[in-house]
Amino acid sequence: MSARKPLIAANWKMYKTPSQSSEFVTAFLPLVQDRTRDEIVLCPPFVDISAVVAGTRGSNVHVGGQNMVWQEEGAFTGEISAPMLIACGCTHVILGHSERRQFFGETDETVNKKLHAALKHKLTPIVCVGELLAEREAGKTEEVLLRQTAKGLAGIAADLAHSIVIAYEPVWAIGTGKTATPEMAAEAHHIIREQVARSLGREIADGMRILYGGSVKPENAGALMRQEEIDGALVGGASLDPHSFSKIVLY
Ligand code: PEP
């Protein structure tokens, strides 16, 4: 049995208004209220954070941002900083999601800057890595995971790194209904963990939680999470409904 506490995070992407978020929380909390085995995190759009923080106050459910910038404040129209997320009640932040990499120019270098800033402000970062379908088909999965992990972690001091969470999200499995088999995911997690050991040392690597993301559903959550190498899940589509997300939390 791994000593790593599983983390199950909901990525709502660009779905839900503040009132829809409150409705979700009202329905969701009673379904998971006694659950202490896992760390449960909801990552709503920025405009919903206040509603979700208010609704989850005093509960076992944490709140995270879906992105942030590395500067603390300034003339950066449209951006949100780590101190702002903290001030709103966030404890976690997703960094480098593949949709940010694909559509908004996120690179390994910007993910790295954001990671430094998140750690400085004591947000728990969930750093996403994962290969495209073309990269998997070209036999480049390992190369991509090693590069994204090494560059993402560049310059991070080992004594600050214990809170870092990595999410392995094969891009071909996100929102497609295709899931990596538990064995494929476990193999990718092993590759990532070995790179973490090279970057930050064996002790940090052994303690680091590596989540799987990509079409996790109530039906496949148990099989994935039973893999020794898989320390939880980052869930998109199936996290939008309180009942389906609670079934994943209760796998
Ligand atoms: C995600 O958004 O991180 C994700 C994994 O989405 P989905 O579960 O819908 O594939």
Side-chain angles (χ1 to χ4, degrees):
M1 196 48 196
S2 158
R4 299 183 291 265
K5 185 177 175 94
L7 190 158
I8 317 274
N11 173 19
W12 286 354
K13 313 192 190 219
M14 199 174 73
Y15 291 100
K16 295 193 191 294
T17 61
S19 64
Q20 290 168 336
S21 301
S22 298
E23 282 167 27
F24 176 104
V25 170
T26 304
F28 179 64
L29 286 191
L31 302 173
V32 298
Q33 63 181 353
D34 297 324
R35 201 61 174 183
T36 53
R37 182 191 60 186
D38 316 290
E39 193 168 313
I40 307 167
V41 188
L42 300 176
C43 300
F46 293 134
V47 294
D48 301 331
I49 287 174
S50 294
V52 176
V53 166
T56 55
R57 192 162 284 127
S59 78
N60 54 339
V61 176
H62 305 269
V63 184
Q66 296 178 10
N67 181 34
M68 54 168 256
V69 75
W70 56 90
Q71 292 92 346
E72 300 191 0
E73 62 177 8
F76 302 106
T77 302
E79 293 292 348
I80 299 282
S81 69
M84 289 171 176
L85 290 178
I86 297 270
C88 289
C90 288
T91 50
H92 295 66
V93 65
I94 298 171
L95 300 177
H97 190 280
S98 66
E99 287 152 15
R100 305 258 4 134
R101 292 180 191 257
Q102 254 181 302
F103 305 129
F104 301 101
E106 189 85 82
T107 64
D108 296 331
E109 288 70 26
T110 58
V111 172
N112 178 250
K113 287 184 183 181
K114 293 177 181 191
L115 180 59
H116 279 270
L119 292 174
K120 177 175 173 200
H121 292 284
K122 302 202 164 23
L123 282 166
T124 298
I126 303 174
V127 181
C128 302
V129 298
E131 79 286 1
L132 303 167
L133 181 60
E135 290 166 337
R136 178 163 280 270
E137 287 178 346
K140 294 193 169 155
T141 299
E142 180 164 357
E143 180 187 322
V144 170
L145 297 180
L146 293 178
R147 189 200 74 228
Q148 291 180 340
T149 307
K151 290 195 167 182
L153 295 174
I156 299 292
D159 60 341
L160 287 182
H162 59 273
S163 71
I164 299 173
V165 178
I166 294 183
Y168 168 58
E169 299 209 305
V171 180
W172 48 269
I174 297 181
T176 58
K178 290 183 196 152
T179 319
T181 62
E183 294 73 24
M184 279 159 91
E187 191 187 336
H189 285 211
H190 179 73
I191 291 168
I192 294 165
R193 199 176 299 285
E194 289 309 299
Q195 181 54 48
V196 175
R198 285 189 286 276
S199 296
L200 295 169
R202 173 57 57 192
E203 197 182 326
I204 294 289
D206 286 346
M208 189 168 286
R209 291 174 296 176
I210 305 182
L211 318 182
Y212 170 76
S215 297
V216 175
K217 305 266 180 282
E219 301 75 46
N220 59 24
L224 287 160
M225 248 84 90
R226 276 192 291 276
Q227 293 284 326
E228 173 69 20
E229 270 290 344
I230 300 183
D231 306 312
L234 181 54
V235 187
S239 73
L240 291 169
D241 175 79
H243 296 278
S244 105
F245 189 50
S246 73
K247 284 186 193 146
I248 294 173
V249 171
L250 303 175
Y251 67 87

